[in-house]
């Protein structure tokens, strides 16, 4: 059976992309390896491998994309805006601060738990008649010729045999599709794992996000719905994660947060369950080969230090849909190889800028050399005091310059 577009991978990027395509009246078959949860309780968002304990800081551009899809009213119920961002280093003088009011924007973005983002997206996909969703199906073969891309996928004893003019591989950092096409990928292990959880503090967050660089790792504290509720993302050295996980380590974890942040958030009173995720950078050598294009973490997996990974993927998806919409208007081939290569070229500048920035921040702030420490804190002070820098950086962070 011929489909206009097949998406492999039904995580947040795959679901968002499917909805973008459906809005342009392009039919989609979406394949996901893991069985989706049943949402019986409207007040709960069950974890899924792609909608896990992590949170996403949606940039203004990502929010705009969801507004265009007509989804933001549903997502806003579970999100909270970031009105101020503070960047500091523990035990140092440097400090940088961005305020939405000064930059004349409503907010820098919105923080939402991935579990809720995934639930809203999945619910909308399930309602969309132009999207056929098949979960619990494992892709076992991907090939292509001049006319079609061909997929075989197993679900129990049954094998789906599909063909399409275009396949979009959004199947994660260890992408089967990328490997099946023989596309290489460079990988850098940061020797870190991210400790992820939510905490309750005695002081309200006032919609302020903190990035605090410490000897343990760069600690992000972001506001969540509920004025005393915050998300924590703390990359620490690989091999030390057991020190922070488990209920018996709750107070130890809270004490470490208190020591690192001081009293800016008041007293850290309660922590949720902690989860850990290994951190590495994985960059595909190509993103478009024949009738297949890589998307999301299959194309580029980056460090979460500046919260840019998902937002970069959303911009990729949005631009790809724009190219496909032009092809559709001309009744042209949606999987045209030259068009997909044009898409890849169009996205490289934004991708390379974000990848380089995130990698530089991790490497630069991980080095405790006193000279480098002085240099980076001087840089933070320059950022805070030299006119014209903040608006430029703010626009990049919000995804408005790409």
């Amino acid at each position: 059976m011929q489909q206009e577009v097949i998406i492999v991978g039904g995580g947040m990027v795959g679901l968002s992309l499917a909805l973008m395509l459906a809005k342009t009246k392009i039919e989609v078959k979406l394949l996901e390896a893991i069985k989706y949860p049943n949402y019986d309780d409207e007040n709960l968002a069950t974890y899924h491998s792609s909608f896990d304990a992590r949170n996403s800081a949606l940039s203004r551009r990502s929010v705009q994309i969801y507004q265009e899809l007509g989804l933001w009213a549903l997502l806003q119920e579970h999100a909270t805006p970031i009105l101020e961002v503070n960047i500091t280093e523990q035990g140092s003088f440097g400090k940088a601060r961005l305020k939405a009011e000064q930059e004349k924007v409503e907010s820098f973005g919105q923080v939402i738990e991935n579990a809720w983002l995934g639930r809203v997206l999945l619910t909308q996909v399930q309602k969309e008649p132009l999207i056929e969703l098949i979960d619990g199906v494992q892709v076992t073969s991907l090939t292509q010729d001049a006319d079609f891309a061909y997929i075989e996928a197993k679900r129990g004893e049954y094998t789906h045999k599909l063909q399409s003019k275009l396949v979009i591989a959004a199947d994660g950092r260890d992408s089967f599709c990328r490997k099946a096409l023989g596309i290489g990928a460079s990988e850098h292990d940061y020797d870190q794992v991210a400790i992820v959880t939510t905490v309750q503090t005695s002081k309200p967050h006032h919609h302020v996000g903190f990035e605090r660089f410490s000897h343990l790792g760069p600690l992000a504290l972001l506001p969540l719905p509920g004025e005393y509720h915050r998300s924590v993302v703390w990359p620490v050295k690989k091999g030390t994660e057991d020190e922070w996980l488990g209920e018996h380590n709750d107070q130890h974890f809270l004490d470490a947060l208190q020591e690192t942040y001081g009293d800016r958030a008041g007293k850290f009173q309660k922590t949720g369950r902690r989860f850990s995720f290994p951190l590495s950078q994985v960059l595909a050598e190509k993103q478009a080969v024949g009738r297949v294009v890589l998307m999301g973490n299959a194309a580029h997996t980056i460090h979460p230090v500046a919260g840019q990974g998902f937002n970069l993927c959303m911009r990729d998806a949005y631009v790809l849909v724009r190219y496909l919409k032009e092809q559709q208007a001309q009744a042209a081939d949606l999987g045209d190889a030259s068009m997909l290569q044009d898409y890849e070229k169009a996205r490289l500048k934004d991708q390379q800028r974000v990848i380089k920035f995130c990698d530089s921040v991790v490497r630069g702030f991980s080095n405790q050399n006193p000279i480098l420490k002085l240099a980076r804190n001087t840089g933070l002070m320059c950022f805070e005091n030299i006119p014209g820098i903040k608006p430029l950086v703010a626009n990049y962070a919000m995804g408005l310059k790409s």
Side-chain angles (χ1 to χ4, degrees):
M1 181 180 178
Q2 180 179 333
Q3 302 294 322
E4 288 200 74
V5 174
I6 295 174
I7 299 176
V8 180
M12 299 188 302
V13 174
L15 292 171
S16 299
L17 179 55
L19 291 167
M20 292 182 209
L21 290 169
K23 189 175 178 63
T24 64
K25 307 304 180 186
I26 294 176
E27 292 184 11
V28 179
K29 185 182 287 286
L30 180 60
L31 310 179
E32 165 58 26
I34 307 299
K35 193 76 176 170
Y36 287 115
N38 292 319
Y39 294 115
D40 299 322
D41 188 335
E42 64 180 16
N43 297 313
L44 293 176
T46 307
Y47 289 156
H48 174 265
S49 64
S50 297
F51 327 140
D52 50 38
R54 287 173 282 191
N55 304 276
S56 290
L58 302 177
S59 68
R60 281 183 59 80
R61 186 69 190 105
S62 295
V63 171
Q64 289 171 357
I65 292 171
Y66 284 127
Q67 287 173 334
E68 290 181 30
L69 289 172
L71 295 180
W72 185 246
L74 295 171
L75 292 171
Q76 180 68 86
E77 296 178 22
H78 310 288
T80 193
I82 302 173
L83 303 182
E84 183 177 325
V85 178
N86 287 343
I87 306 168
T88 59
E89 180 170 7
Q90 186 179 14
S92 300
F93 61 87
K95 180 177 181 179
R97 182 166 52 190
L98 285 168
K99 292 187 176 182
E101 183 180 13
Q102 293 178 352
E103 303 306 322
K104 298 180 173 56
V105 294
E106 179 185 346
S107 71
F108 292 120
Q110 303 265 347
V111 184
I112 185 169
E113 293 180 79
N114 288 358
W116 276 111
L117 177 56
R119 173 172 178 159
V120 171
L121 293 174
L122 178 60
T123 301
Q124 295 308 303
V125 163
Q126 291 170 331
K127 293 178 181 178
E128 176 51 63
L130 290 178
I131 303 174
E132 181 182 356
L133 180 62
I134 304 176
D135 61 352
V137 61
Q138 193 73 44
V139 174
T140 58
S141 175
L142 169 61
T143 58
Q144 57 181 323
D145 58 26
D147 299 313
F148 292 100
Y150 305 92
I151 282 180
E152 291 186 7
K154 294 200 70 173
R155 190 182 194 188
E157 296 300 315
Y158 182 74
T159 298
H160 295 265
K161 294 187 177 182
L162 310 169
Q163 66 180 43
S164 175
K165 289 291 186 180
L166 172 63
V167 168
I168 302 172
D171 53 340
R173 52 159 285 165
D174 297 317
S175 169
F176 170 86
C177 294
R178 188 181 67 219
K179 295 172 184 175
L181 293 172
I183 300 175
S186 63
E187 181 169 357
H188 172 72
D189 188 339
Y190 286 107
D191 196 32
Q192 292 179 332
V193 295
I195 306 299
V196 176
T197 190
T198 58
V199 294
Q200 180 178 309
T201 58
S202 63
K203 288 184 180 179
H205 55 60
H206 296 304
H207 302 283
V208 178
F210 289 93
E211 187 78 44
R212 178 80 161 164
F213 293 93
S214 74
H215 69 282
L216 293 175
L219 174 55
L221 194 67
L222 299 175
L224 286 172
E227 58 181 339
Y228 300 96
H229 192 209
R230 309 177 194 233
S231 81
V232 172
V233 181
W234 199 349
V236 299
K237 186 173 178 57
K238 186 184 293 184
T240 67
E241 57 267 32
D242 288 347
E243 180 180 350
W244 311 110
L245 305 176
E247 291 183 11
H248 61 287
N249 285 333
D250 282 5
Q251 192 57 51
H252 176 57
F253 179 73
L254 290 170
D255 290 344
L257 284 176
Q258 198 76 63
E259 181 182 353
T260 300
Y261 265 96
D263 63 356
R264 295 169 183 81
K267 182 174 177 56
F268 287 87
Q269 298 175 319
K270 187 177 180 181
T271 175
R273 180 183 173 191
R274 271 92 60 212
F275 299 84
S276 65
F277 302 90
L279 299 178
S280 62
Q281 180 189 86
V282 182
L283 306 177
E285 293 174 357
K286 297 178 182 178
Q287 295 177 42
V289 174
R291 296 183 169 277
V292 182
V293 61
L294 304 183
M295 187 63 52
N297 285 341
H300 42 70
T301 301
I302 63 177
H303 197 284
V305 64
Q308 292 297 306
F310 180 67
N311 296 304
L312 180 62
C313 296
M314 285 292 287
R315 298 199 293 276
D316 289 343
Y318 189 85
V319 172
L320 177 61
V321 171
R322 190 180 70 204
Y323 274 80
L324 296 177
K325 189 174 182 179
E326 292 174 0
Q327 291 291 101
Q328 183 188 44
Q330 299 168 17
D333 185 353
L334 292 182
D336 179 73
S338 61
M339 178 272 296
L340 294 177
Q341 288 169 4
D342 287 343
Y343 151 78
E344 180 179 5
K345 291 175 185 175
R347 291 300 302 143
L348 282 178
K349 182 178 179 181
D350 186 24
Q351 291 173 359
Q352 291 172 351
R353 174 183 54 80
V354 171
I355 291 166
K356 183 177 180 180
F357 171 75
C358 293
D359 186 61
S360 297
V361 169
V362 176
R363 294 175 187 266
F365 277 90
S366 296
N367 195 316
Q368 297 301 308
N369 181 290
I371 295 176
L372 289 177
K373 198 168 185 177
L374 174 63
R376 61 185 177 239
N377 277 271
T378 302
L380 287 175
M381 294 301 293
C382 291
F383 175 87
E384 179 67 14
N385 294 294
I386 297 177
I389 295 181
K390 286 186 179 182
L392 179 65
V393 173
N395 280 333
Y396 275 125
M398 292 185 288
L400 303 180
K401 294 285 187 181
S402 59

